[in-house]
Amino acid sequence: MCGLCIIMGVKRGGARVDAKVIAAASDRGFMRTAHLLELGVASKTIVRRTQPDGTWSRALPGLVFLKNRSLTPMERATAVAIYCGKDALISGRAGLALHGLGTSGSLEETFALIPEPQHRKSVSFAVVERTWRMPTAEIKSGLRVAPIVRCLCDAVRRMKNAEQCMALIASVVQRGAATVDAIMKELDAGSTRGTAMPRRVLRELAAGAHSVAEAQAQKLYARSGLPPMQHNVVVHDEQGKFLLIADNWLDDVALDWEIDSLEYHLSPAAHRATVARRERAHNAGLIVVTHLPSDIRDDPERVLSDLRARYEQAKRDRDRTSLSDRDRIRLITGRADIPRPCARRSRTQLQSVDARSCQE
């Protein structure tokens, strides 16, 4: 009998509601309980069908899913949008996922914004926030979604782990979907609740840290006792030929410290480019020190020891340059100083030539 009801429809007393009518009236498989009642489905039928062994399931209060299984991230977002009403916007990690930026995060949370005068409780996986600052909706996969910067800020305000916060912000910035300035302006415009950690992360990113590993590396380097490094410096040789963009640059000894990210640098094409870049650096007399993110995390003292040793080695190598070498350099280049690369700041900083490292 149950199978017959699935095929032929749902009965209310002597009347039958065609299952096709119910499916056609649904919003991507979801129906409000009130709408089912309007179609003529009996309340006891709704209760029976949404039991654990039934053919439907309760998605959220007053909302039925016309299947009995776990919801996908997209279905959770749809359910929350229906539950919160026509003015709601999906935001946070779920909103970023709808923009094509990462996953929806926790399976237990889908974040939504509703206008301040409206009321809707957070329940189950639906996390609802009332706001006077409702942004302009963007339609993604048929759902109303907050802009990327708002989604990101709503997501990081709810995060507790600094590394995860850094990773999320860095991933969005690296893909060109938002800028550090735009994110900071959005945080400034909204509630201060939960913004202390994102602000700290943004300051680190603005200082030149473009990944979790690089941010950790800069914190570690501050303990080294070595001179301050410049970040993202474009390095040319004596003839002005491009050599590399140095991640972390010590100009007085022409040393570049690189953090090899497995995620961003170890594709076959990226690996070939890395080998070629380091060969150019070696041939030009630069010192390149490399570590993995796991080295920074798991063996920081060895990393500091490596950096101090290579720095001292570079200083000794420069101090040992003989007078005859200097004379030969003068004949070849017309310069009396020891040749070393000239560094030009990247476009994200300044375009001017650093006079300490490139004298015309």
Side-chain angles (χ1 to χ4, degrees):
M1 182 62 182
C2 184
L4 182 62
C5 288
I6 295 173
I7 297 172
M8 299 303 295
V10 181
K11 286 187 176 183
R12 180 184 182 183
R16 174 178 292 134
V17 182
D18 195 322
K20 292 181 179 179
V21 172
I22 296 175
S26 72
D27 186 346
R28 282 171 278 193
F30 293 94
M31 289 280 286
R32 291 186 179 277
T33 303
H35 195 182
L36 285 169
L37 293 172
E38 289 173 0
L39 289 176
V41 180
S43 58
K44 64 179 181 181
T45 301
I46 298 173
V47 171
R48 185 180 71 253
R49 288 195 166 222
T50 53
Q51 293 297 312
D53 59 348
T55 54
W56 298 344
S57 57
R58 296 277 184 183
L60 289 168
L63 188 63
V64 171
F65 183 45
L66 301 180
K67 297 180 181 179
N68 188 358
R69 60 167 173 77
S70 299
L71 300 179
T72 67
M74 181 65 196
E75 288 166 344
R76 291 200 307 272
T78 301
V80 171
I82 298 171
Y83 169 73
C84 291
K86 62 182 180 62
D87 296 324
L89 297 178
I90 301 300
S91 190
R93 295 294 295 269
L96 288 175
L98 287 166
H99 280 288
L101 295 168
T103 65
S104 59
S106 171
L107 296 176
E108 300 175 356
E109 178 176 303
T110 298
F111 187 83
L113 300 169
I114 61 173
E116 179 66 28
Q118 298 182 11
H119 296 272
R120 191 60 90 188
K121 291 183 178 180
S122 295
V123 61
S124 184
F125 55 83
V127 179
V128 186
E129 183 174 283
R130 298 161 60 198
T131 178
W132 290 110
R133 299 180 54 253
M134 285 294 289
T136 301
E138 299 183 17
I139 305 302
K140 301 292 179 180
S141 301
L143 297 178
R144 289 165 48 87
V145 184
I148 288 174
V149 172
R150 182 62 176 271
C151 288
L152 177 61
C153 289
D154 285 337
V156 297
R157 283 194 300 109
R158 301 182 61 79
M159 298 178 76
K160 305 299 183 184
N161 184 285
E163 289 188 9
Q164 292 176 0
C165 180
M166 169 69 82
L168 181 60
I169 294 175
S171 67
V172 173
V173 172
Q174 286 172 344
R175 293 179 63 172
T179 65
V180 171
D181 285 344
I183 300 167
M184 186 63 81
K185 286 179 181 178
E186 176 61 35
L187 287 176
D188 289 341
S191 169
T192 59
R193 185 176 69 252
T195 64
M197 184 173 64
R199 290 177 190 279
R200 185 170 64 252
V201 166
L202 287 166
R203 286 194 294 270
E204 293 174 356
L205 285 171
H210 298 297
S211 70
V212 174
E214 289 175 1
Q216 292 175 332
Q218 289 186 32
K219 289 180 180 179
L220 178 62
Y221 186 80
R223 296 167 40 201
S224 69
L226 298 175
M229 282 184 163
Q230 302 173 51
H231 305 291
N232 306 311
V233 176
V234 180
V235 181
H236 297 79
D237 65 13
E238 291 293 328
Q239 289 73 43
K241 182 179 178 181
F242 173 79
L243 292 174
L244 53 79
I245 299 178
D247 291 345
N248 305 284
W249 178 252
L250 281 173
D251 190 62
D252 62 329
V253 293
L255 183 149
D256 175 29
W257 182 30
E258 295 189 351
I259 310 302
D260 279 337
S261 168
L262 296 177
E263 181 175 1
Y264 290 107
H265 298 305
L266 292 188
S267 69
H271 179 70
R272 289 192 295 270
T274 298
V275 171
R277 181 178 70 252
R278 289 176 181 168
E279 185 175 353
R280 290 195 304 270
H282 177 76
N283 292 340
L286 278 65
I287 293 178
V288 179
V289 183
T290 63
H291 290 102
L292 293 171
S294 57
D295 297 329
I296 308 296
R297 183 184 66 247
D298 300 333
D299 201 356
E301 295 307 319
R302 180 179 65 81
V303 171
L304 290 176
S305 178
D306 290 347
L307 287 169
R308 293 175 183 132
R310 296 302 297 276
Y311 179 78
E312 292 302 323
Q313 175 193 340
K315 285 183 61 178
R316 288 195 299 269
D317 289 346
R318 295 181 68 77
D319 292 342
R320 282 201 298 266
T321 302
S322 65
L323 180 60
S324 60
D325 287 336
R326 294 175 184 265
D327 292 339
R328 180 177 58 79
I329 292 165
R330 183 183 296 113
L331 292 174
I332 294 174
T333 67
R335 295 174 58 183
D337 58 325
I338 301 172
R340 59 192 177 107
C342 69
R344 185 168 306 186
R345 292 183 184 270
S346 68
R347 292 182 181 179
T348 59
Q349 300 178 22
L350 297 175
Q351 283 288 355
S352 59
V353 174
D354 190 336
R356 295 174 303 165
S357 57
C358 184
Q359 299 176 1
E360 298 295 341

